[in-house]
Amino acid sequence: MDRRSFLRWSGAAAGAAVLTRAAQVSAQDAHAHAEASATAAAAVPTFERRPASRVAAPGGQPAVITPNGVSLPWTIRDGVKVGHLVAHELDHEFAPGMRARVWGYNGHTPGPTLEAVEGERIRVYVTNRLPEPTTVHWHGLILPNGMDGVSGLNQRPIPPGETWVYEFDLRHPGTFMYHSHYDEMTQIALGMAGMFIVHPRRPVGPRVDRDFVLMTHEWKLEVGARRPDPNAMNDFNVLTFNGKSYPGTEPLLVGVGERVRIRLGNLSPMDHHPIHLHGLNFVMTATDGGYVSQSAQYPETTVIVPVGSTRVIEFTPTEPGDWAMHCHMTHHVMTQMGHGLPPMVGVDTSTVDRRMSRVVPEYMSMGQTGMGGMGEMEMDIPPNSLPMRGARGPFSYIDMGGMFTVLKVRERPESADPNGWFEHPAGSVAGPADAARLRADGIDLE
């Protein structure tokens, strides 16, 4: 980084603190990733329309949809469902312009969603291609003690290069998870987790039309770094749904009047996540401990998903549109937001700006009137980073990243474009106030 770039970034990111981290980027990494980052930083991915959900369980229960993810394929051997998980390191894209080397299963983090039916017997082979031992814990499932996967307590760890097998009956339906239980701090922090769905043999509650699975996670990825920091205890700066930060998150496309289920799991290292949905209310129908009786359900618009827990919500949207869905911890929707800088709001920087412009003509201080608009500025950013970036929306820039996605409610979801924006009826969008209307309504701005 030359002196001019350093000063320009310093000014542009006065409130974002990307500079102190950017200075740590090695010349080698910068050279390797600069070109890709320069072209990808502003890119927004497109998503294919998903086929209609197949029936996965008795009573017409639809298969789960894992946005940005996949389900584990099974084969049947003598009445047993057989699957194979391969634990290994992989190159992962959080969003266009930001990648890292993480750990996961079968090429994904989180790993593929396991989906089965109450009463079935499963056999899962686990091949360890990590540089250290591992195990798999079936989080929330009630099973024989020797299958619980806690290294040292229930089994010996699986050495690198070996394949071990877990086999047990699925006694109870529910929304569960799986994760490493060897060197958890490192392996979960690097992505060794996934969701495990067991459909009931007899459907519980109203039939749902769509059934989504979202796993929340948090990472500490220094600007320009290629590996998350598994030692982090706080200040996580990359927050994800199913391993993706907005705008990398795949939208959830549903229909007006459909009953929708969203299964949320949280295997973040340290933080709970209050997940908020706009435009509707919902009820919580289950946790990883079991179903919530209908008499105990109550309407909510935000559900807290504690670390190590699952929460299942159901709703029927009535208003078509593009509705935000996000963690309501504000720093969890600000990808690679830096901290530790003095507040800039209200600071008079005119003298500093004037003097700095003599050295760097394009220099300008930021943050004196707030942080809005920083994400859409066409300024240089460090390679392999997305500091405070969101994406362009139908009206202006959406200045949210991280644990943010869009619930797209359409009249005809089967033919709707998952990449298209809602077309608002005339007169239904907020706009500038008319002076005559202000006077008629008695609003005095003097």
Side-chain angles (χ1 to χ4, degrees), residues 55-334:
V55 173
Q61 299 175 75
V64 295
I65 301 167
T66 307
N68 296 110
V70 298
S71 294
L72 182 72
W74 299 100
T75 59
I76 306 296
R77 294 287 186 274
D78 298 327
V80 178
K81 272 189 167 176
V82 179
H84 186 195
L85 291 174
V86 180
H88 63 111
E89 182 175 292
L90 60 119
D91 183 71
H92 176 70
E93 181 184 81
F94 291 99
M98 185 167 62
R99 311 186 68 91
R101 298 294 294 176
V102 303
W103 292 3
Y105 301 96
N106 299 22
H108 300 272
T109 179
T113 299
L114 275 61
E115 184 176 18
V117 179
E118 175 189 8
E120 291 183 328
R121 186 172 183 83
I122 66 165
R123 183 182 302 139
V124 181
Y125 292 93
V126 178
T127 298
N128 181 12
R129 293 179 181 160
L130 298 173
E132 69 168 358
T134 191
T135 65
V136 177
H137 166 59
W138 313 100
H139 187 111
L141 287 149
I142 299 175
L143 36 59
N145 187 249
M147 292 290 151
D148 201 41
V150 179
S151 178
L153 179 65
N154 306 120
Q155 67 169 87
R156 291 186 291 113
I158 306 172
E162 294 196 9
T163 298
W164 288 32
V165 61
Y166 297 84
E167 182 167 340
F168 49 88
D169 295 322
L170 300 174
R171 302 175 184 172
H172 304 284
T175 299
F176 309 113
M177 301 182 285
Y178 65 93
H179 61 82
S180 164
H181 222 301
Y182 175 90
D183 189 12
E184 278 189 81
M185 184 196 78
T186 299
Q187 297 196 7
I188 291 179
L190 294 180
M192 302 291 291
M195 297 291 290
F196 194 148
I197 311 303
V198 182
H199 295 284
R201 180 64 58 183
R202 293 183 177 179
V204 178
R207 182 188 184 280
V208 300
D209 299 287
R210 299 179 195 271
D211 195 341
F212 295 96
V213 174
L214 290 175
M215 172 166 274
T216 62
H217 204 59
E218 59 191 1
W219 316 72
K220 178 67 175 292
L221 183 65
E222 300 284 9
V223 170
R226 290 289 288 166
R227 291 179 185 275
D229 178 3
N231 300 317
M233 284 186 63
N234 49 37
D235 214 10
F236 297 95
N237 60 359
V238 177
L239 284 294
T240 57
F241 281 131
N242 286 347
K244 299 288 186 179
S245 291
Y246 188 77
T249 51
E250 179 181 351
L252 281 60
L253 182 59
V254 305
V256 173
E258 291 184 337
R259 188 170 179 90
V260 179
R261 175 185 293 143
I262 301 179
R263 305 170 189 259
L264 297 156
N266 182 7
L267 280 176
S268 302
M270 297 298 291
D271 288 311
H272 313 314
H273 300 295
I275 304 300
H276 177 57
L277 276 75
H278 294 213
L280 52 84
N281 54 37
F282 56 78
V283 293
M284 185 173 72
T285 59
T287 72
D288 38 349
Y291 293 99
V292 178
S293 66
Q294 192 166 6
S295 63
Q297 299 173 8
Y298 52 88
E300 278 283 10
T301 64
T302 301
V303 58
I304 295 178
V305 189
V307 174
S309 300
T310 71
R311 296 289 183 266
V312 181
I313 62 173
E314 295 183 16
F315 55 87
T316 302
T318 59
E319 291 292 327
D322 295 323
W323 299 104
M325 175 179 175
H326 59 95
C327 179
H328 220 291
M329 290 191 175
T330 56
H331 287 238
H332 289 186
V333 291
M334 301 296 288

Side-chain angles (χ1 to χ4, degrees), residues 20-56:
T20 54
R21 301 310 183 194
Q24 300 172 4
V25 178
S26 71
Q28 183 179 5
D29 280 351
H31 177 75
H33 306 296
E35 183 176 350
S37 296
T39 56
V44 176
T46 57
F47 300 97
E48 298 291 331
R49 185 185 300 123
R50 287 182 174 270
S53 296
R54 61 180 174 82
V55 173

